[in-house]
Amino acid sequence: MVEFKTASEVEAMRAAGQVVAQALKAAKERAAVGVSLAELDEAAATVIAEAGAKPAFLHYHPGFAPTPFPAVICASVNDVIVHGIPGGYRLRDGDVLGIDCGAYLDGWAGDSAITLIVGTPRPRDVELIEVAERALAAGIAAAVPGNRMGDIGHAIATTAEGYGLPPDFGGHGIGRRMHEDPAVPNRGRSGRGMVLRPGLTLAIEPMLVIGGDGRYYPAADGWALHSVSGQRAAHVEHTIAITDTLPRILTTL
Ligand code: MG
Ligand code: MG
């Protein structure tokens, strides 16, 4: 069932979204060559705890995973597309690092992801992240009243042309729960699907793989999704609210 939020509920989600943005900022600032992914997780966890919020990913246990998620952030390095568990791996020069974070504040969820390069960037990776960010912006720009769900996916996929888009994973409705209806696919046909209306709150999250092959396989831990091609991936996400006019991004600082 799709729930539409009132103006005051969107404000509450904005507050949750800000905590997520601050947690991502703390993890990003901590990211450097030689730093472990667990240290980034700790940085995000501290921000969330100090804000009086609750991590949304910790102990989250969706049907596809063999075990509950053991951390506050997902940290996905290089050929890991999404859902990497932040463990003892220490970042290396040139790594592409995706950080995804979710939190609940006063019963409302925020969900956002960034991808960055640690140390010396490779030009191909810079382009990957730029295109992913453009795809996210295009998807958000399509989230206006009167458009349909397919317009969001269409905007993402056309912007990300030439890159692999993993099937099965995409964005989602968000509100009192991190994952709500409706699904927000990263592909779509314009003019098709649910009509978008003010009060609809969505997490939009393109994930792109260099080289055009979006197929993935799960790591031994059952969580991290690696690209089959071995190519690097980027994942970026914002929680947004559809308004009477332009979409409002709830997970910026
Ligand atoms: Mg997320
Ligand atoms: Mg999400």
Side-chain angles (χ1 to χ4, degrees):
M1 199 185 81
V2 176
E3 282 180 28
F4 292 84
K5 280 78 176 181
T6 64
S8 65
E9 288 172 340
V10 170
E11 284 310 318
M13 288 185 66
R14 166 69 182 140
Q18 260 181 314
V19 174
V20 172
Q22 283 159 359
L24 283 175
K25 180 171 180 267
K28 179 183 179 175
E29 284 172 356
R30 193 82 188 79
V33 175
V35 173
S36 75
L37 301 179
E39 287 171 78
L40 310 184
D41 191 60
E42 219 175 274
T46 301
V47 168
I48 290 171
E50 283 175 358
K54 284 199 183 104
F57 295 0
L58 188 64
H59 308 317
Y60 183 61
H61 196 179
F64 64 79
T67 53
F69 196 76
V72 168
I73 60 168
C74 296
S76 304
V77 178
N78 296 337
D79 69 313
V80 177
I81 304 168
V82 286
H83 301 166
I85 293 174
Y89 176 83
R90 291 188 180 278
L91 291 164
R92 296 182 188 172
D93 191 44
D95 276 352
V96 171
L97 169 67
I99 310 173
D100 192 351
C101 185
Y104 290 100
L105 182 69
D106 298 330
W108 293 96
D111 186 11
S112 181
I114 55 175
T115 296
L116 55 109
I117 296 168
V118 179
T120 318
R122 306 193 313 190
R124 191 68 193 87
D125 296 337
V126 173
E127 191 186 328
L128 163 71
I129 294 170
E130 278 174 6
V131 175
E133 287 174 349
R134 278 211 302 275
L136 174 59
I140 292 171
V144 291
N147 264 2
R148 289 174 179 264
M149 189 60 78
D151 293 305
I152 296 177
H154 181 76
I156 290 171
T158 52
T159 307
E161 217 182 308
Y163 287 83
L165 295 171
D168 314 322
F169 286 93
H172 47 90
I174 179 168
R176 288 203 176 273
R177 285 174 300 125
M178 178 169 60
H179 292 133
E180 297 185 346
D181 289 337
V184 185
N186 288 332
R187 288 191 179 84
R189 293 174 65 183
S190 48
R192 297 298 180 93
M194 170 187 175
V195 175
L196 305 178
R197 284 173 28 206
L200 187 60
T201 46
L202 304 173
I204 299 178
E205 50 180 313
M207 37 199 97
L208 276 59
V209 183
I210 290 175
D213 182 355
R215 288 174 304 153
Y216 57 83
Y217 67 93
D221 62 29
W223 274 101
L225 298 181
H226 292 263
S227 66
V228 167
S229 63
Q231 296 279 359
R232 294 179 166 196
H235 172 224
V236 289
E237 175 180 25
H238 272 306
T239 297
I240 64 118
I242 293 172
T243 75
D244 292 322
T245 56
L246 293 176
R248 183 174 176 202
I249 301 175
L250 303 178
T251 41
T252 48
L253 284 173

